[in-house]
Amino acid sequence: MLYSRNGRKDDLVVRGARVLDPAEGVDAVLDVRVDKGVIAQLGADVDANGHRIVEGQGLVLAPAFVDPHVHLRVPGGEDEETIASGTDAAAAGGYCAILAMPNTDPVVDSASVLGSLIEDAKAEATVPVGFLAAITRGQDGAELTEMAELAEAGAAGFTDDGRPVVAPGLMRRALQYHRIAGRPLALHCEEPTLSKGGQMHEGAVSAELGFSGYPSVAE
């Protein structure tokens, strides 16, 4: 579930870049021809076929990244980030898609909020954006969101971002319902009764300095 404005599907040839594709075992200086946005040919002295030429000498051409944890800050924090500015930054950094967290104001915990974001992304996003909806209403850990409705509205998955779902019974129901909704859960695994008040990693140094420790077992 990724949404962006309709981008150009370019015809172009990149000449003489170092092409890296670990999945395909490619690491060589090559030409790359793209037909209507799809890689059509890799090789030496590829026929330009009338395409736009991009000189790639001294540059590296590699598959783009996907960032699954992005804070676009909308709605409610447009003074810090917007869909347009966040996706512009992603594209400049070599990211072809991102997933946005739901800890906004209001929280993305209803189909109406999610639908508004999806429509904005279609108009503003430079690269495709997927929106994660909250597991619990308001990310308060008390009541599950309408996962099936949110999935139908376009949620890419569910997360309470930096807040753990503490109640075991609620977590169990979330695991049951996310399977019905057909979307993954991204969990913040933390037991706050163990981590509360932690100022540094728990160990010999925290004990020596007298600081409250954050034990590894809390996560």
Side-chain angles (χ1 to χ4, degrees):
M1 293 290 185
L2 297 171
Y3 302 89
S4 69
R5 61 188 174 202
N6 294 326
R8 295 178 304 167
K9 294 185 177 180
D10 282 350
D11 293 327
L12 60 88
V13 172
V14 180
R15 292 281 193 207
R18 181 184 177 187
V19 179
L20 295 176
D21 187 346
E24 299 295 330
V26 177
D27 182 356
V29 176
L30 299 168
D31 295 349
V32 179
R33 194 181 84 211
V34 177
D35 295 343
K36 298 192 181 304
V38 178
I39 295 174
Q41 185 180 356
L42 278 71
D45 298 320
V46 167
D47 185 359
N49 198 31
H51 291 4
R52 179 167 65 92
I53 304 295
V54 176
E55 296 298 337
Q57 286 85 353
L59 302 178
V60 173
L61 184 61
F65 305 111
V66 175
D67 192 336
H69 191 127
V70 169
H71 294 276
L72 292 179
R73 304 300 181 193
V74 289
E78 290 82 357
D79 58 317
E80 297 180 2
E81 189 75 273
T82 65
I83 292 173
S85 68
T87 56
D88 280 349
Y95 289 82
C96 66
I98 59 176
L99 290 175
M101 295 292 108
N103 65 327
T104 50
D105 184 16
V107 171
V108 185
D109 60 3
S110 68
S112 60
V113 174
L114 175 63
S116 177
L117 286 170
I118 288 172
E119 290 305 310
D120 288 345
K122 290 177 180 178
E124 300 175 25
T126 305
V127 299
V129 182
F131 293 97
L132 296 169
I135 297 173
T136 64
R137 294 186 184 277
Q139 295 182 292
D140 290 333
E143 180 184 358
L144 291 181
T145 56
E146 295 290 344
M147 289 185 173
E149 181 182 10
L150 284 160
E152 186 175 347
F158 302 97
T159 182
D160 273 358
D161 191 28
R163 296 186 180 183
V165 179
V166 177
L170 190 67
M171 186 71 255
R172 183 172 186 265
R173 290 197 297 276
L175 290 168
Q176 291 170 333
Y177 282 118
H178 96 93
R179 295 187 66 180
I180 297 172
R183 300 288 185 271
L185 295 181
L187 302 175
H188 180 88
C189 298
E190 179 186 347
E191 173 46 68
T193 61
L194 294 173
S195 61
K196 184 178 180 180
Q199 297 169 304
M200 62 183 294
H201 180 69
E202 183 181 75
V205 176
S206 67
E208 181 180 350
L209 296 176
F211 289 153
S212 299
Y214 187 127
S216 297
V217 73
E219 297 183 354

